[in-house]
Structure formats: structure tokens, C-alpha cells
Amino acid sequence: MAAFSFEKLVVFGVGLIGGSLVRALRERANTGGAREVVGVGRSAASTVRARELGVIDSAVALDDDRALAAALDGADIVLLAAPVAQTRSLLERIAPFLGAATVITDAGSTKADVVEAARAALGARIGQFVPGHPIAGREASGVEAALPDLYVDRNVVLCPLPENTPAALARIADMWRAAGATVHEMAPPQHDRVLASVSHLPHVLAFAYVEQILQSRDAALRFAFASGGFRDFTRIAASSPEMWRDICIANRDALLEEIDSYTAVLVALRTAIESGDGASLEAVFARSRAARADWQLRAARPAAQSGAYNGDPSGGDPSK
Amino acid sequence: MAAFSFEKLVVFGVGLIGGSLVRALRERANTGGAREVVGVGRSAASTVRARELGVIDSAVALDDDRALAAALDGADIVLLAAPVAQTRSLLERIAPFLGAATVITDAGSTKADVVEAARAALGARIGQFVPGHPIAGREASGVEAALPDLYVDRNVVLCPLPENTPAALARIADMWRAAGATVHEMAPPQHDRVLASVSHLPHVLAFAYVEQILQSRDAALRFAFASGGFRDFTRIAASSPEMWRDICIANRDALLEEIDSYTAVLVALRTAIESGDGASLEAVFARSRAARADWQLRAARPAAQSGAYNGDPSGGDPSK
């Protein structure tokens, strides 16, 4: 585990994502002696549990100017781990108290919209903001679900801005590495396209699938005969409706492109089924199965070690 | 476990499905003393492993008239557990040697096409054929993957024909109950519609999804950043291309209806995303999540006990 030193970390939103990072830095990483972690919530109540669990040392309410100023004073790193739709208002709240030596990062699932919000809120100080996205999670949420090893061998994507200094970027990358993650870099549009494909689209497809059953005349009968394949296929339809509403809207353009190219593939399969074109069906199914099997073999290792995208001329190498 | 008595069982295709039934009857059920199980394969070689494992007592090659006649002589039950596309040719092969006291059943994933094939092959003796579908399986295939508890607490759907006698139907139902399954009855079109919805459609959707990634410019990059949600969503894309080709064609009409109503839901979600209609998105996502959570709670119990479709006026009660 990489060494990583900090004096004060301020986390906006101490839930699964923020709480797991703090636990990782405190319990796993070689981060030296006593360090201070301040949690900021919408209200004092929302951070009580995090303090009880010892994840944070002190809690600050977002609307308390004086406490917020004190929390941000001397902070090395500020992590935004609240719902991504709050990014701009949080950064506007932080801006008046932001010291020149502090680096801000976030954990949002989309990046182009976060960069736009950050530019609007931070103006000339945009260089202090390093956009990030840890690709990790679990079905449970809240600080009780936080785990010190949530990021071990998981991918974290950073989307450096031209205004970021190498030192600011290195501080955030080192933090995630100290939590056990593998750090990659991508441009925001590339990040958003990749995540629309491998995460946002399948969520939409799974939600749509359950909705379609619900709209059928005999929904209850159908559910009664659903089994293992259904269970795995629909597991992501158990995700937070609010979060996925926000992601769909935040990443609209990339997601619409994926939906359209997906629909084109589905239409082609439909045509093959209708015309009884078994050869085409088998060819697509066999290609898919082989690709899925290949992915499974590589999935045990994070992208940087697997080399899964090496040699792809258009994809580039996001890990530099 | 229910008691079930038989003298001779002949299994065409001793793989996962047929092998698991035999193991269940031999190892779990109260089926009395020494009973004979004969396996029939395309060639002698294909049944060698089943004999080595003790799943069958003797093996017969499909093209050996004399051995096939001897195998079918005095058989209580014949189970067709070979690929469903072979149903008609297998029944035509069996017909000349079929005794009046033998009941045939099958394990095919579709039923309307199987009934049609059986009527064509058996003619006036169609009453001896009880169409069936055990809704169970695992990713591994072949007789080595056969398990004695594969059918425990799983649903088996029988699609009785008007020509079936109560005794013939009871013999097949008792066999599956002896293996631990819960037996339901449906008309073939109802079976095919329900399975198109909860099994065939999600397979097509998952295959189409992996294919869409493969068609993208940066497929390797995308796969490199796929994680847990992707894994579960695409697990069924690891299924047999040949089997799913056959199922798609065999259940074409019902599957096309499901694809069309699914596409309509996806188009509606696309419109909501494009217009930034967060309320509609959240409503659909919340409905889906609630339905999925409700299903999960019921899924631990087979349909007959869960009452999942009771009170549904259009669905009826397939378990009578």
C-alpha cells in the first residue's frame, strides 16, 4: 500500500463512498500519526453516525459559515462525495473559504457536467479542482456500509484539467493509490462515453426490462416463473431511482448515443429472429459469449494490470 | 420427498438435465430397490461418461434398431433431454418401438413447437406424450455437471394435452415431485409467453448488449472499465449460442412480441432522458426497483408456495 501523508481531509457527504475512503486511509494506508478528518453534512444530524463510528473526528453543518471556514482552513484535500447534482452548489459554498494550498476532488459518476459546474463555481481557481470517479460501490449505502477495502484493486478515473498542476494531480492520485486503487486518466468526454456504455446503459436496460414486465397483463405470473438468469440480469434494477435519474440526465448525450446504437443491434437481432436466420443469431451469440468469457478472465485484475485495452488504436491508454 | 416407483426409465440425452433427474430419482427419492435406467445417445461414445459415473445402467446408440427396441420394451417413462430441435426426429425414431404403457415427456424450453412436433411424429398416440419443462439449470453442462438436487424447490411446468390420460399426467408429475420440484400446469402458448418474457428476452437483451460494445470503436477500453453491474447483467450472455439460436427460432412469435413491447418501453425512457424529464425517469426506476425487491423476497420459495400470481385476474393459476 502506497504511503500518503495529509494533515486535514474534509469530506462533503460521509456515506458509503466518502466513508470508505476515510476508513481506507485510516485503517489500511501508511498515513502516519494523528490526522484530522472533518465531515460536512446538510445538517448536524446527518453526520452523527459517522462520528459515532469514528470515521470522522468532527462534524460541520453546511449552513454554518463559521464552522465551515474553520473546517476548510488548512485542509489538504476536500472530497465531494455527495450526490453529483449538488456539485455546483457545494463548490459555491466552499469557494469563499478555499485556501490556496487545498486541492478539491470529487467522486461523481459523470465528469463533463461536473467540470462545467466546477468552472462556474470556482472561476479562476479551477486549477484546484481535480475531477475524479472511483469505480466501486456496493448495494448497501450510508456510512454504516463503508468498508476500508472498498477501493482495493478497483479502478479510479481522474480527468485532469489543463489548469491542474502536477502537484495537485499527484496529491489526489496518491490518495486513491493509498486506498488500494489503480488510478487512470481520461478526458471527461471519454470517461462519460465509457461509463455510459458499461454502467449507465445496462442500468437503463434493466430498469426498462422490469418496467416492461410490470406493464404486461400477466406480470405476477411472469415474476412467479422468473429464475436465476432473471435474478442476475435485474440485480442493477435494485439501484437508487434518484441517483440513476440524476446520472441519466447528467450524462444525457453520451447515454442517448449508447441507447441508439443498442437499439440498432436489437433491431438487427429482431430481424434475424423474425426471418429465422439462425446463422446470424448464432454468430452474434457466439461473439458475445466469447467476449464475455474473455472479460471474465481479465476481470480479476484491474485494468492497468490486465492490459485489456492495450493495442486498441482508438481507445488510447488512459493510465498513461 | 414424494415416493415414486418405476421399473425402467429411458433417457435420450444424458447431460445436465437428464443426468440430474436420474441422480435425483436414484439418490434422493424413495423409489424402492433396483431400477433400470437406460441412456440413449447419438453414438455409444456420448454415453460412456454417464455409464462410468453410474448415472445410467446401460447405453444405447440411437441408430441401433435392435438395442433401441430392447431399451424401450417395458419402459415406464421416456425422457427427451436432448436439444429441443431434435424432438421430432427422436419421436419418429421412438414411435415404431413404443409400447402402449410407456409415457414420454420432454424437458424443452419451448412448448408450442414441441407439441406440434410430437403430434406430427406420434399421430394417434399423442396421448402418450406429456410436454414438460423443468425451469432449472446451471452454467456448466454435460453429465459431469448433473446434480441430485438440481430440481429441489424449482418449478416444473407441464403442458397437458387433451389426449393425455390423468394417469399419464400423474406419472410425469410424480416423477418431478420425487426429484424435489414443484409442478405447475399451463397451456403451451401461456408457457411460451411467460418464458419468452422471463428467460428468452433477457438472454437476447444481454447478447445484444455485449454485441453493441463489440461494435464500438473503443470496445477494449470499455471492457477494461466494466465492473460488478456489468458482470451480473451479462452473465447470461455466457450461455450456449446454439441453444439460444434454437430457442429464439422455436419461440419466435412470443419472443418478437416481447422484443416489441420492450423496445416501446426503451423508446419512452429515451424520450424522458432526451427531454430531461427526471420525474418520469424516477417513477419508472422506482417502480422497477420495488418490483425487483418484491420478487427477491418471494424468489426463495417456488411459485406454488409464494402465491406470487394469486389474485391476478388475467394470469390465472397455472398450478390448478
Side-chain angles (χ1 to χ4, degrees):
Chain A
M1 208 59 70
F4 173 69
S5 172
F6 70 97
E7 295 298 324
K8 190 200 267 190
L9 174 64
V10 183
V11 180
F12 286 71
V14 190
L16 169 68
I17 297 301
S20 292
L21 176 67
V22 175
R23 290 198 60 186
L25 294 179
R26 294 199 134 154
E27 300 172 38
R28 297 184 57 90
N30 174 20
T31 48
R35 307 303 181 188
E36 187 182 357
V37 178
V38 184
V40 184
R42 280 178 173 279
S43 65
S46 64
T47 45
V48 164
R49 190 72 189 123
R51 213 167 35 191
E52 284 173 358
L53 292 168
V55 173
I56 57 175
D57 301 305
S58 58
V60 166
L62 188 60
D63 61 0
D64 183 339
D65 266 23
R66 193 168 191 154
L68 195 59
L72 291 167
D73 182 44
D76 301 286
I77 293 179
V78 170
L79 171 67
L80 305 186
V84 72
Q86 299 171 25
T87 303
R88 179 162 175 174
S89 63
L90 287 177
L91 288 173
E92 285 171 345
R93 188 83 188 101
I94 289 165
F97 313 112
L98 183 63
T102 302
V103 180
I104 313 174
T105 190
D106 80 314
S109 302
T110 50
K111 292 274 75 71
D113 67 314
V114 162
V115 170
E116 190 183 332
R119 288 195 182 280
L122 297 176
R125 288 184 289 174
I126 186 65
Q128 289 178 249
F129 181 73
V130 178
H133 178 202
I135 304 177
R138 42 191 313 228
E139 280 174 57
S141 62
V143 70
E144 289 89 348
L147 298 174
D149 60 356
L150 188 68
Y151 303 112
V152 173
D153 291 338
R154 306 309 296 264
N155 294 313
V156 171
V157 177
L158 299 182
C159 297
L161 303 173
E163 296 88 343
N164 293 148
T165 63
L169 181 58
R171 195 184 299 174
I172 302 303
D174 287 348
M175 176 183 79
W176 286 113
R177 288 194 194 103
T182 303
V183 175
H184 307 267
E185 293 179 18
M186 291 189 196
Q190 186 179 40
H191 168 276
D192 289 357
R193 187 177 73 243
V194 168
L195 270 291
S197 172
V198 300
S199 172
H200 309 169
L201 177 64
H203 278 82
V204 169
L205 298 179
F207 282 128
Y209 171 63
V210 178
E211 170 71 4
Q212 185 240 342
I213 297 177
L214 284 169
Q215 290 183 7
S216 70
R217 284 183 299 112
D218 52 357
L221 178 69
R222 295 174 181 218
F223 283 123
F225 285 89
S227 64
F230 174 94
R231 183 188 61 236
D232 291 341
F233 186 76
T234 58
R235 198 184 307 276
I236 51 181
S239 306
S240 160
E242 299 80 11
M243 189 178 99
W244 284 97
R245 172 202 64 199
D246 289 349
I247 288 174
C248 287
I249 290 174
N251 202 19
R252 175 171 57 185
D253 294 345
L255 182 53
L256 290 176
E257 270 193 42
E258 297 306 318
I259 291 174
D260 290 345
S261 65
Y262 178 78
T263 303
V265 172
L266 187 58
V267 166
L269 282 181
R270 189 203 184 285
T271 302
I273 292 167
E274 189 167 32
S275 63
D277 181 0
S280 290
L281 292 175
E282 187 178 349
V284 170
F285 297 172
R287 262 163 63 95
S288 289
R289 180 166 76 158
R292 174 59 171 68
D294 185 57
W295 177 84
Q296 180 89 356
L297 284 175
R298 295 168 187 270
R301 296 162 294 167
Q305 279 85 58
S306 74
Y309 48 80
N310 289 343
D312 182 67
S314 59
D317 182 350
S319 69
K320 289 205 308 188
Chain B
M1 208 58 70
F4 173 69
S5 172
F6 70 98
E7 295 297 325
K8 190 199 267 188
L9 173 65
V10 183
V11 180
F12 286 72
V14 191
L16 170 68
I17 297 299
S20 292
L21 176 67
V22 174
R23 289 198 61 186
L25 295 178
R26 293 198 134 151
E27 299 172 39
R28 298 183 57 91
N30 174 19
T31 48
R35 308 302 181 189
E36 188 182 356
V37 177
V38 184
V40 184
R42 280 178 173 280
S43 64
S46 63
T47 46
V48 164
R49 191 71 189 125
R51 213 167 38 190
E52 283 173 358
L53 291 168
V55 173
I56 56 175
D57 302 304
S58 57
V60 165
L62 188 61
D63 61 1
D64 183 340
D65 267 22
R66 193 169 191 155
L68 196 58
L72 290 167
D73 182 44
D76 302 285
I77 293 179
V78 171
L79 170 68
L80 305 185
V84 71
Q86 298 173 25
T87 303
R88 179 162 175 174
S89 63
L90 288 177
L91 289 173
E92 286 171 344
R93 188 83 188 102
I94 289 165
F97 312 111
L98 183 62
T102 301
V103 180
I104 311 174
T105 189
D106 78 314
S109 301
T110 50
K111 292 274 77 71
D113 66 315
V114 162
V115 170
E116 191 183 332
R119 288 193 183 280
L122 297 177
R125 287 183 291 174
I126 186 66
Q128 288 178 248
F129 181 73
V130 178
H133 178 202
I135 304 177
R138 42 191 313 229
E139 280 174 57
S141 62
V143 70
E144 290 88 348
L147 299 173
D149 60 356
L150 187 69
Y151 302 112
V152 173
D153 292 338
R154 306 308 298 264
N155 294 312
V156 171
V157 177
L158 299 182
C159 297
L161 303 174
E163 295 89 344
N164 292 149
T165 62
L169 181 58
R171 193 184 301 174
I172 302 304
D174 287 348
M175 175 184 79
W176 285 113
R177 288 194 193 102
T182 303
V183 175
H184 307 266
E185 293 180 18
M186 291 188 195
Q190 185 179 40
H191 168 278
D192 288 357
R193 187 177 72 244
V194 168
L195 271 291
S197 172
V198 300
S199 172
H200 310 169
L201 177 64
H203 278 81
V204 169
L205 298 179
F207 281 128
Y209 172 63
V210 179
E211 170 71 6
Q212 185 240 343
I213 297 178
L214 283 170
Q215 289 184 6
S216 70
R217 283 184 300 112
D218 52 358
L221 179 69
R222 295 175 181 217
F223 283 124
F225 285 90
S227 65
F230 174 94
R231 183 189 60 235
D232 290 341
F233 186 76
T234 59
R235 197 185 307 276
I236 51 181
S239 306
S240 160
E242 299 80 12
M243 189 178 98
W244 284 98
R245 172 201 66 199
D246 290 349
I247 288 174
C248 286
I249 291 174
N251 202 19
R252 175 172 58 185
D253 294 344
L255 182 53
L256 289 176
E257 270 193 42
E258 297 306 318
I259 290 174
D260 290 345
S261 65
Y262 178 78
T263 303
V265 172
L266 187 58
V267 166
L269 282 180
R270 189 203 184 284
T271 302
I273 292 168
E274 189 167 33
S275 63
D277 181 359
S280 291
L281 292 175
E282 187 180 349
V284 169
F285 296 172
R287 263 163 63 94
S288 289
R289 181 167 75 159
R292 174 60 170 69
D294 185 57
W295 177 84
Q296 181 89 355
L297 283 176
R298 294 168 188 269
R301 295 162 295 166
Q305 280 85 57
S306 73
Y309 49 80
N310 289 344
D312 181 67
S314 60
D317 181 350
S319 68
K320 289 206 309 188

